[in-house]
Amino acid sequence: MNPTLITNVGELTTNVDREGDPTGTLRDAAVLVEGPRIAWVGSAADAPTGIADTVDAGGRAVIPGFVDSHTHLVFGGDRADEFEARMTGTPYAAGGIRRTVAATRAASDEELRARLAGFVHELHAQGTTTFEVKTGYGLSVHDEARLARLAAEVTPEVTFLGAHVVPADHADRRAEYVDLVVGPMLEAVRPHARWIDVFCERGAFTPDESRRILAAGVAHGLLPRVHGNQLGHGEGVRLAVALGAASVDHCTYLDDADVAALAGAHTVATLLPGVEFSTRQPYPDARRLIDAGVTVALASDCNPGSSFTSSMPLMIALAVREMGMTPSEAVWAATAGGARALRRDDVGLIAPGARADLALLDAPTRVHLAYRPGVPLIAGVWKDGGRL
Ligand code: NIG
Ligand code: FE
């Protein structure tokens, strides 16, 4: 691959802190890409010369590719009927997950692989260059291992979510199911996964069960993350902080003790506004978290139940319109914040040595991502130095 110079960038969001500006914004900038990495970043006027392969951004904005740190993309079927019912007042319930488990178990590897490939294409086209994928719609040793293996074909960020709900086949034997998750299921999924997650919520797993499951994962070398405080107040956030989890996701219902716990910890609060949009729940209060000093990430939670969208620009628009974030904070949270939630230092920023994962916007500034909701503003995407 020849080096490529992307020049005449009107607004470059580097996410390398410059004098207290976490977005590290440069005007009239250029980026040199060499192989899969960024080789140089600076003013267009100082850019290296003699690079044959040059892209003129025409004064438009460039941002790091989005880092979507929370998705559930390996599944069969959909649940449009549940969405339709919610829009006329039926509340979201975790039990719907079991319908997707049945459809996923019935799907072949080829069917799931083709669906996943479609989603990956959808993500890339919308500027997402790094994404996490969870298991959680298999819920048997065989199917969880199968989903983890398929997910690992498209991302290194695979999360074992055997503790999504207790499946129908174990309805009266939940203790047995937890034993299965921490025993043979963990053993079978472990070679394909980097993370372990638990849905710690009424109707899913109790704090004690969650603690046991996460501890078993950690003992097997997986890193913990938690689904917490989505449907009501609970112990998910504090459990995540106590375990040193990389992230606790949802954070819709937080009390002062939760915010204080997050403020004193390295655990990222990952907010998933597609869920509130699609379940008619109240949006999480991002402003309160940021003002308390908490690191906030935005992610899509793309799944067939609570949030069937893979659009990071939509998450940014919702975060700005409904959650008290500034456009700059929201773009940071969807890039650098996601990278923090995945404990990655090679993505979510534009700096020498980082992965050359970039999105060129058809706009003069990143503000347009919130200002022009629903408009396809991604004009070009580079992943690992290659233009997609
Ligand atoms: O993150 N909260 C648990 N899991 C998903 C929903 C899954 C589903 O409804 O199928 C979520 O919202
Ligand atoms: Fe989720």
Side-chain angles (χ1 to χ4, degrees), residues 46-67:
D46 303 332
T49 52
I51 311 290
D53 207 347
T54 297
V55 174
D56 184 347
R60 293 176 292 177
V62 169
I63 62 171
F66 295 122
V67 179

Side-chain angles (χ1 to χ4, degrees), residues 263-354:
H266 290 296
T267 302
V268 173
T270 299
L271 309 182
L272 310 167
V275 174
E276 282 73 36
F277 177 88
S278 173
T279 60
R280 284 196 187 279
Q281 288 203 161
Y283 287 93
D285 188 349
R287 187 76 265 140
R288 179 185 183 200
L289 288 166
I290 293 172
D291 288 347
V294 177
T295 301
V296 168
L298 289 169
S300 73
D301 196 11
C302 187
N303 76 79
S306 64
S307 177
F308 199 5
T309 173
S310 55
S311 170
M312 292 298 276
L314 175 62
M315 300 311 124
I316 289 168
L318 291 173
V320 171
R321 175 65 179 79
E322 305 286 348
M323 292 154 57
M325 296 178 86
T326 67
S328 293
E329 286 169 343
V331 173
W332 189 94
T335 52
R340 298 267 202 297
L342 291 174
R343 299 243 162 106
R344 294 276 298 266
D345 58 12
D346 59 334
V347 296
L349 78 170
I350 298 177

Side-chain angles (χ1 to χ4, degrees), residues 70-72 132 134 137 161 164 197 199 227 230 249-250 272 275 300-303 306:
H70 184 145
T71 83
H72 305 245
E132 178 260 20
K134 299 177 199 299
Y137 292 120
L161 182 58
H164 202 181
D197 194 346
F199 187 13
H227 275 74
Q230 172 185 0
D249 300 37
H250 287 283
L272 310 167
V275 174
S300 73
D301 196 11
C302 187
N303 76 79
S306 64

